Amino acid sequence: MCVFISICSFSLEAQSLNETRDIKDAYTKNTRSRDGQPGVKYWQNTATYAISISADPPSRLIKGTETISYTNNSPDTLNKLVIKLILNQHKPGAARYGGSGMDYQTDGIVIDRFSIDGTDGLWDNTNNTTLVDVLLKKSVLPGAHINLEFDWHYDVSKQAGREGMIDSTTFYLGYFYPRVAVYDDYLGWDKTEFTGGQEFYNDFNQYSLKVSVPANYVVWATGVLKNPEQVLQSAIIKKLKIAATADSTISIANKEELLQHKVTLQAERNIWHFEASNVSDIALGLSDHYLWDASSAVVDNKTGRRAEMQAAYSDTAKAFRSIVHDGSYALNWYSHNFPGLPYPYPKMTAFEGNADMEFPMLVNDSSIDGPEGRRVTDHEIAHSWFPFYMGVNESRYAFMDEGWATTLELLIGRSFSDPKAVDKTYRQGRVSHWATDKLAVSQIPIITPSSELKDGYRHNAYGKPSLAYLALKDLLGDDVFKKSLHVYMDRWNGKHPIPWDFFYTFNNVTGKSLNWFWNNWFFSSNYIDLSISSVQKNANGYAVSIANIGGFAIPFDVYLEFADGSNQVIHQTPQIWFANEKKAGLAIKTNKKLKSLRIDGNLFMDSDLRNNSWTTNP
Ligand SMILES: [Zn+2]
């Protein structure tokens, strides 16, 4: 018996992609190229940050001082700088994405001193914005540097969100330093106000971070600890060295060691010095009672390079007891499977907070028992590649990082757990809420700037683009998909890719225009609804006509049940929608009698299942 499905396809005239005027300008200026590569005139700005802060819990006061050496690599003369004070989002009058309790509110960042190239300037601390324009008396010419100095202080908020007070002697500090906003080739100054909803867009910078804390406080931060012998007791350093080549979890500091003051040196204060290069942000956690575990994972089979996986957590956080094991697995798996590029940093630390939020080399995770906790950790670690390795503009194109992290959490989950259960979790958490929603917010095109979204943000940042990437993987096959993805990542790591760089790179590497697919998934108001229009018996078997009512070019399976009791499942890739996105015909060659037929998109949840099956008339 032969069951054969054929589709008619013919080449369509290549579609073009909509480019808004800011994007068109980038191509005109040759900062980007329509073959997907950085243009011959691509540039990006950068800075060197030397930051020192001090904390003295349970006081919530954090004091900081920094010097920023900012380099203008653009062809433009900068008459002003835009400074981001992200923690001003805590100010009572600040614009906020959602509500906030009184314990979330603080006075924001207070600038105590500010200078430009050695000359002190005045700073107005009264406004509630997270963006401050600093007009320059002397412009920064193309290729020139400018030096800024800030002294500042702020109170850690009692209610922690992505950062804040975890308990009276445990703080998570994120977004805590004044920084220069991104100035780039298509936006100019990034003037996206931080409201607590959308995420970030940062330059790749060099950081030196010194954190002064009382004895017996441990600091975990982005970057490499440069002075372990000046802050840690020798037995702890020895255990860290063992963990750096160990496959199993090693307790670096347990409860007794912490209580007996056997972890840090016993000077009145210790200054922890971290350095990180070519990263887009730094963050840190500190505590006097968090347990500390570590291990490591091979992240590059070719060279044998290992990355450290560490965890810092309270004695009661049961889920964190296995997080070093699970995190090590993730570092290794992501490095060698999807995305399949070595973890780009020397270490990763999971710090117990309540944010479930990624930072370079750090994740701030709540303690969640069971598979859900592991899924969250996998998701946050996946962000190491998107957006930290790739430098995407999360505040404008969140699908360029959240969509990938959502896809990666699914793929890694299938590797160690029952794929059916993982798929079910994905459908429930990532798809069903918008797939079954008839309101307009579920049909906003993915390409819409994330900064303009509210209710549609979650749909457009996570589930929808994740399905688009999975549909693309199905369309191209794993080999071509991965090859194209790697070229995209190789071209744009450490830079600022925009969606068109991704689209055009895939067109370029595959050697064919996928614009029909990009238009279908990213620029449309499509949704998911397939319908069986008709099933006709003919001389060769059956002719099935399927209507794509919702419009998304999804892959799906055709489940055939024959009168003799036999069954067959046949997969259709999104290629079936290439010739005609609205309808497709299937020719089922068989000499058997078909009893029933059903189409099922699995992860691609159909919004109306009533028209997905057909049964022969008895
Ligand atoms: Zn995420």
Side-chain angles (χ1 to χ4, degrees), residues 526-570:
N526 286 337
Y527 61 103
I528 302 173
D529 183 16
L530 299 187
S531 168
I532 298 171
S533 306
S534 65
V535 179
Q536 303 283 339
K537 178 92 181 76
N538 60 28
N540 297 320
Y542 294 86
V544 181
S545 178
I546 297 175
N548 192 345
I549 297 169
F552 270 145
I554 66 162
F556 60 94
D557 290 318
V558 185
Y559 289 82
L560 304 169
E561 185 191 11
F562 296 98
D564 65 4
S566 61
N567 296 284
Q568 185 137 7
V569 184
I570 297 164

Side-chain angles (χ1 to χ4, degrees), residues 199 356-358 379-380 383 386 401-403 405-406 409 430 462:
E199 296 180 3
D356 301 333
M357 185 70 197
E358 71 278 9
H379 177 98
E380 306 311 339
H383 277 304
F386 309 93
D401 75 301
E402 295 298 355
T406 303
E409 91 194 14
R430 301 305 197 184
Y462 295 83

Side-chain angles (χ1 to χ4, degrees), residues 488-591:
Y488 162 63
M489 293 179 77
D490 185 51
R491 287 175 174 181
W492 288 97
N493 85 76
K495 299 189 174 70
H496 292 313
I498 54 175
W500 290 263
D501 300 319
F502 167 72
F503 301 144
Y504 291 146
T505 290
F506 268 66
N507 288 356
N508 178 243
V509 177
T510 59
K512 55 188 173 190
S513 173
L514 297 167
N515 289 353
W516 71 274
F517 182 88
W518 310 130
N519 276 325
N520 178 285
W521 271 98
F522 292 88
F523 293 82
S524 77
S525 55
N526 286 337
Y527 61 103
I528 302 173
D529 183 16
L530 299 187
S531 168
I532 298 171
S533 306
S534 65
V535 179
Q536 303 283 339
K537 178 92 181 76
N538 60 28
N540 297 320
Y542 294 86
V544 181
S545 178
I546 297 175
N548 192 345
I549 297 169
F552 270 145
I554 66 162
F556 60 94
D557 290 318
V558 185
Y559 289 82
L560 304 169
E561 185 191 11
F562 296 98
D564 65 4
S566 61
N567 296 284
Q568 185 137 7
V569 184
I570 297 164
H571 185 68
Q572 292 297 308
T573 79
Q575 184 67 32
I576 194 172
W577 308 114
F578 170 68
N580 185 335
E581 293 174 38
K582 283 292 165 193
K583 61 180 180 183
L586 306 178
I588 301 175
K589 284 192 176 178
T590 181
N591 51 17

